[in-house]
Amino acid sequence: MLIDARDLTKTFTTADGKLPVLNGISLQLQPGETLALTGESGSGKSTLLHLLAALDTPDSGTIRHQDDDITSGNDTSRAAVRRNRIGLVFQQFNLIPSLDIAANLAFQARLAGRYDADWCAVLSQRLGLSELLSRYPEQLSGGQQQRVAIGRALAPRPPVLLADEPTGNLDEATADSVLEMMLELVDETGAGLLMVTHSTRLAGRLSRRLHLSQGRVA
Amino acid sequence: MNADRLALLLWLAASAASAQGFAGLGTEAEGFAIPSPEAALTFPADHGPHPDFRIEWWYLTANLSDANGTDYGIQWTLFRSALAPFEADGWDSPQIWLGNAGLTTPEAHFAAERLARGGIGQAGVTTAPFEAWIDDWHMTSTAPSGDPLDSLSLAANGEGFAYDLTLQATRPLVPQGIDGYSVKSPEGQASYYYSQPFYEIEGTLSLPSGPVEVTGQGWLDREYSSQPLSETQDGWDWISLHLDGGEKLMGFRLRDREGAPFTSATWIAADGTPTPYPNGALTMTPLETTDVNGAPIPTQWQIDLPAQSLSLRLDALNPNSWMDLTFPYWEGPVTISGSHTGKGYLEMTGYTAP
Amino acid sequence: MRRAALAALVSHWRRQPLQFFTLIAGLALATALWSAVQAINAEARRSYAAAEGMLGLGSYETLADPAGRMPLETFARLRRAGWQVSPVLEGRALLGNQRIELLGLDFISAPQANLPGNPQLRETLSPNEIFLPPGIAFVAPDTQRALRDIAGLPHLIADTSLPPGRLVTDIAVADRILEAGGGIDSLILLKGAPDGTPGALAPQLQRFDRQSQGEISRLTDSFHLNLTAFGLLSFAVGLFIVHGTIGLAFEQRRPVFRTLRAVGLPLRELLGLLMAEIILLALLAGGLGILLGYLIAAALLPDVAATLRGLYGASIPGSLAFDPGWAASGLGVALIGALVAATHGLNSIRKMPLLASARPRAWAVASTASLRRQALAGLVLLLAGIAAPILADGLLAGFALMGGLLLGAALLLPLVLGAALSAGAALARGPVAQWFWADTRQQLPGLSLALMSLLLALATNVGVSTMVSSFRLTFTGWLDQRLVSQLYVTAPSEAEGERLRAWLAPRAEAILPIWKVDTPLYGTPGEIYGIVDHQVYRSHWPLLASSDTPWEDFYAGRGTLINEQLAYREDLSPGDSVTLGPGWTLPVSAIYSDYGNPAGQAIVHLPLLLTQHPEVPRLRHGILTEDPEGLARALHEEFGLPRANLIDNGSLKAISLQIFERTFTVTGALNVLTLSVAGFAILTALLTLSSMRLPQLAPPWALGLTRAQLARLETLRSLALAALTFALALPTGLVLAWSLLAVVNVEAFGWRLPMFLFPAQWLWLLALSLIAALLAAYLPVRRLARTDPSQFLKVFADER
């Protein structure tokens, strides 16, 4: 099992008091599985993704990545999980503005010590980025940037790809083609995919769907 | 006129002059010698300075005219003022010397002053040979024998004017008051006072328009004292008149803040015989005033000395004969009409703007 | 509406107290340094004006005997010949333990406007008080206190217009204190005095223009220009700070501005409110700055006073008077500075579209093109600075060189740093290193103002400390050479001098007369010394350049030694002819260094001087002896010589060194202050940037870097930038030092100093700047290390 999360809870403290976001959620992701996480705004789907990506820690519950508990570790071990086991794609692309596209593509792979030049070349070719490698993020369109982000996430061949509304900032046609590329590459690498989206249409293209409502699986 | 020095002199005189009469003359005489009626004048010694007296002057006025008959007047004065009753060599001298010079024409009046301290040779008076000087102004005896004051050379200069004159006395010196003891107030303040009113003069005046050769007659006053003014006297009107008959008249009126003026006169016959007159014999009455320096100053006078059947009217040659110096006063030539005719000099002090 | 808007705007400062503090502190510091320098300058100028007014030096020529004092008779003789002159007697006296400069004027003949005291004061004095012993004298209030208990002095009257240590009195009083015996130093030529010299009346008198005072003001000008340059420098640095904080305050409040506009606040009103806010802040900070500046100036003034007295003989009081003039100028400068700093922010708000995204953009992004333009401007400035001393002479050219150099280097800095960082990136191996360099480079525009101010501060520091240290080294060595005698004795009179020499002959190794005449050299005040033939001169005198056989020529009467100042001013080299007086020329056999002397100077063999100037006062002597102390004691007992007339080599050296140490205390203090202001600028800039760094730091964090790693990298970044800036500042500072030593010094003082390098100082400075960078990075980095992950996550969140 790639991810085994059990009884996760998370409460945020706001000016108006405590705001429970996740109320005991459990979730599993198998290798090769593509899972869509849907729900209303505020249903907790992004928070859940952040917990699974070791960006944040749950108040209670456990998360195992390939049988390793990541909830008990410290900052360093969580960073290692992010670096070695997860590919992340965000709605805002979040490329590193000071690095060119080639360096952005290779960044995480090199960070994880799993840089493979051939694979990167394949990725950039498949994602249609070959001509853009020496450019900088700000010079690219939204769709192009998101393709870089996907390439960056897949370059270290992570077992899990976590995507948070990866096409949320793109128009429908671009969104479809980007999603297509991502699914193809996930399929080829055999990674598991967990994608947060509010679009039922896109969710339908994934193998499984989990709907969240008020911090619980509906 | 050097404004800087004017202010300096004001500073020098401030405490004395502002509170107590003109030019510090109305001050106490502590430590200084006091004139006495018994002491007789001796010459030429008394032509020289008397450092133990507070104040002393060598005062010469002259009525002159050029070939065209234009009248002029000149004044040459050297004052000595002592801060302490002694003289010392060098900077430590307590004697301060002040020179005033004036030149009056019917249209213009020039005045200048010089200041020096004693002891350093910048100013002073010597008796043998006789010389009185301050800077390059001088009154120098040229008499080969007899009294040194019998013949003099006289020079002074200032901005816009200069004069260089020779003087020859035709009669002996004339003592004023009682043998030179001249009383200055009813309380008995007095000075030593003698004159030489019989000078024949010739020489050159330098004016902005050029040099003018002149002749005329002059009058030298020598006076020294330690307290010539009483507390309530704040100025005087003084005349020295050359009458056409050869007689001379010296008269003064000391104005008193609290009472009648004190007057004194000496009638000098053509042969030089003086007749002194006590307080009240002479009356001096202002007839007309001229606004000078913001104050009305009498420039036309009625002079009466009934004892000599004298009734004169004096008219200033130039009503603006204002000596705009550190101690400002009016001093200029007058013309005489009335019972007698002639020329003379008028000096008025203590007239200040209200 | 307006009140609500204002509340919304001001609430920002309540939530950001640190930002508020940096804004106020930055502006206040800048104003403080500026107004401190202004205050010192104003005080000094006031003193010069008072000194000049008192002596009437601008407007009066004088007559003086170059050989020394003239007798009193000369004055009287000239007056009696119609010369309107007024005597002046000057001298130094040791009253109690106070060294006092006496000025004796003839209060009777001196121009009244040039007398001390005001007319009201003088009216309270009677002639008796002034002219009868003990007399009166005018002194500065400080001096009055210092002399209070000394008996036998004239009645002392405090006069604030007088410099400390000077006593102005009637010439009679001065004559008594100085025991001048009627001697007169000079005669002021009053209005109406004739032209030319008195000729046969007083053949020894020469006519002098009163330009020695002008000389002093020319010399002190360089000192004040120096101070002003420091003031401007620190103000520029302060402006960087203010620019940073105001820019940030604008940037962070963009959403507020937009909301205010959206709910109907007119743009004009918004701008008006912001302007009012800036003015208020500027007034507050400016007021604080003036207060601080006053304190700084008051603390520095005694040293400034010592400097000016030691270096130029110009006296200013050691205490500071509050002058609304410089206070107003300080406030004005604070106001203008804040408005200039805010212009950018106000302008961007004016152009801000009403509906654009409310996300803060990087407010300090400069395009490569503008970086190039800036670098080009820097290059032009640099070249113009270098060209200045080639094209023009004078102090101003020297300062143009310094200004061009510093500003040019500062403007070039971003480009140079960018290139260095690119090179770093190209060499980088790992992804983190690569990102580190690339990201540092990207941050450069936001930091460049702060780094420029650091560069200015560091370069100035290197330059000034190199100059000071070179100076100290040279000067100490030179003093050792120059002060050849063990004891210096001044006889009170010529007769005593004669007796002294006879008495000393069997008791001392050698008696070296130090006799001189003050005489104009090439139209400016100068002095000619005569020395005897002695080995000690040949082996010790510090020669800079000489002919082949300088001493042989010299002692044969075929040559003269001249000081560097004279050589520089008249462009003389060994072998050239120098004119020492009417009809007296000699070849230059050598040029010697003569630090600390503004006047031109020549030395000839003593017999030659005595032939040309038989009237030379024969009073001062250097004594070679094994036992200076014993001899001094014996001289004191035998001749009753006061201590002031007996100075031993050691204390003379100590005094000289002390003067020069104090000379540079001010420079050193300003140096440190400027450096701290620059450090503060970096702190502000880093703080400003750190609050915008999250979007840049979140991706690497998400991709697997820890917060601690990021914090370390941020610290390293700050250190790297400081080190790189130092690397550029060092050569800039050295060139600056060179221009100070070889250009400005020569123009200002007429002497050139060799340059020494002090690598230990540089290391110390590098350490200092790294510490500054570390301190500056500490706060933002600590904040970063403690940032809650949710803060990072906000970057990724949909709802922002």
Side-chain angles (χ1 to χ4, degrees), chain A residues 12 41-42 45-46 50 53-56 75-80 82-83 88 90-92 94-99 103-104 106-108 110-111 138 152 164-165, chain C residues 359 428-432 434-436 438-442 695-696 698-709 785 788-790 793 795-800:
Chain A
F12 288 121
S41 263
K45 52 189 193 297
S46 279
H50 292 155
L55 291 167
D56 207 351
D75 220 31
T76 314
S77 63
R78 276 198 299 281
R82 294 199 295 275
R83 192 160 65 229
L88 269 169
F90 296 103
Q91 180 181 1
Q92 303 288 351
N94 288 302
L95 299 180
I96 298 172
S98 53
L99 296 178
N104 262 291
F107 190 79
Q108 194 183 352
R110 296 176 64 189
L111 212 57
E138 64 189 31
R152 178 181 69 185
D164 188 357
E165 298 273 11
Chain C
R359 194 172 74 172
R429 289 269 162 237
V432 176
Q434 220 169 36
W435 171 71
F436 172 81
D439 202 60
T440 308
R441 178 152 193 233
Q442 206 198 20
Q696 279 140 44
W701 172 73
L703 297 177
L705 290 175
T706 61
R707 282 171 299 170
Q709 267 177 306
D788 194 82
S790 63
L793 291 173
V795 175
F796 307 125
D798 301 341
E799 305 89 6
R800 296 197 59 224

Side-chain angles (χ1 to χ4, degrees), chain C residues 244-310:
Chain C
T245 39
I246 288 189
L248 178 65
F250 274 81
E251 201 53 42
Q252 288 180 330
R253 289 188 290 176
R254 282 172 78 89
V256 182
F257 300 156
R258 184 167 296 104
T259 309
L260 286 173
R261 295 266 283 113
V263 299
L265 184 72
L267 178 64
R268 184 185 293 272
E269 211 148 301
L270 176 62
L271 291 176
L273 282 173
L274 285 171
M275 192 79 102
E277 179 197 68
I278 289 161
I279 289 172
L280 261 165
L281 289 172
L283 288 178
L284 174 65
L288 277 173
I290 286 164
L291 197 72
L292 203 59
Y294 179 82
L295 294 177
I296 295 174
L300 289 182
L301 200 63
D303 285 320
V304 172
T307 298
L308 289 172
R309 199 188 341 235

Side-chain angles (χ1 to χ4, degrees), chain C residues 119-175:
Chain C
Q120 290 80 14
L121 172 70
R122 284 189 226 131
E123 267 186 26
T124 64
L125 300 167
S126 74
N128 288 35
E129 283 178 281
I130 299 166
F131 294 111
L132 296 184
I136 55 151
F138 297 88
V139 288
D142 284 354
T143 312
Q144 187 194 28
R145 273 189 295 279
L147 295 177
R148 194 174 34 201
D149 298 324
I150 297 168
L153 290 186
H155 176 56
L156 297 176
I157 297 169
D159 182 348
T160 49
S161 72
L162 285 176
R166 178 172 294 175
L167 185 147
V168 182
T169 183
D170 182 51
I171 192 165
V173 177
D175 187 273

Side-chain angles (χ1 to χ4, degrees), chain A residues 107-164:
Chain A
F107 190 79
Q108 194 183 352
R110 296 176 64 189
L111 212 57
R114 293 210 296 275
Y115 174 64
D116 177 347
D118 295 338
W119 172 231
C120 275
V122 170
L123 277 176
S124 54
Q125 202 252 322
R126 292 282 300 280
L127 290 164
L129 301 170
S130 303
E131 308 295 309
L132 307 173
L133 288 177
S134 57
R135 297 210 185 165
Y136 282 84
E138 64 189 31
Q139 296 167 306
L140 267 54
S141 71
Q144 289 168 328
Q145 287 195 48
Q146 195 58 302
R147 278 183 272 152
V148 177
I150 292 166
R152 178 181 69 185
L154 290 172
R157 297 180 186 271
V160 178
L161 187 64
L162 299 174
D164 188 357

Side-chain angles (χ1 to χ4, degrees), chain B residues 1-16 54 82-84 86 89-97 113-123 131-138 140 157 159, chain C residues 60 72-73 75-76 79-85 87 89 105-116 119 121-128 130-133 136 138 170-173 175-176 182-184 190-191:
Chain B
M1 180 65 223
N2 186 327
D4 289 346
R5 278 221 272 148
L6 174 67
L8 169 66
L9 283 156
L10 278 173
W11 167 38
L12 276 175
S15 62
R54 186 189 287 278
L83 302 175
F86 62 89
D89 265 352
W91 295 118
D92 286 334
S93 162
Q95 306 287 328
I96 307 243
W97 296 83
E113 74 182 342
R114 296 295 173 84
L115 195 67
R117 89 179 83 196
I120 60 169
Q122 187 189 350
E131 183 175 22
W133 77 94
I134 183 164
D135 290 348
D136 51 339
W137 300 1
H138 66 93
T140 312
N157 60 72
E159 204 170 313
Chain C
Y60 297 102
L72 181 49
E73 296 81 74
F75 166 62
R79 288 292 299 213
R80 292 201 63 182
W83 282 74
Q84 289 290 82
V85 292
L89 173 64
L105 300 172
D106 179 12
F107 278 14
I108 288 187
S109 64
Q112 190 268 349
N114 301 309
L115 291 176
L121 172 70
R122 284 189 226 131
E123 267 186 26
T124 64
L125 300 167
S126 74
N128 288 35
I130 299 166
F131 294 111
L132 296 184
I136 55 151
F138 297 88
D170 182 51
I171 192 165
V173 177
D175 187 273
R176 280 198 294 275
I184 292 168
L190 303 172
K191 210 177 102 189

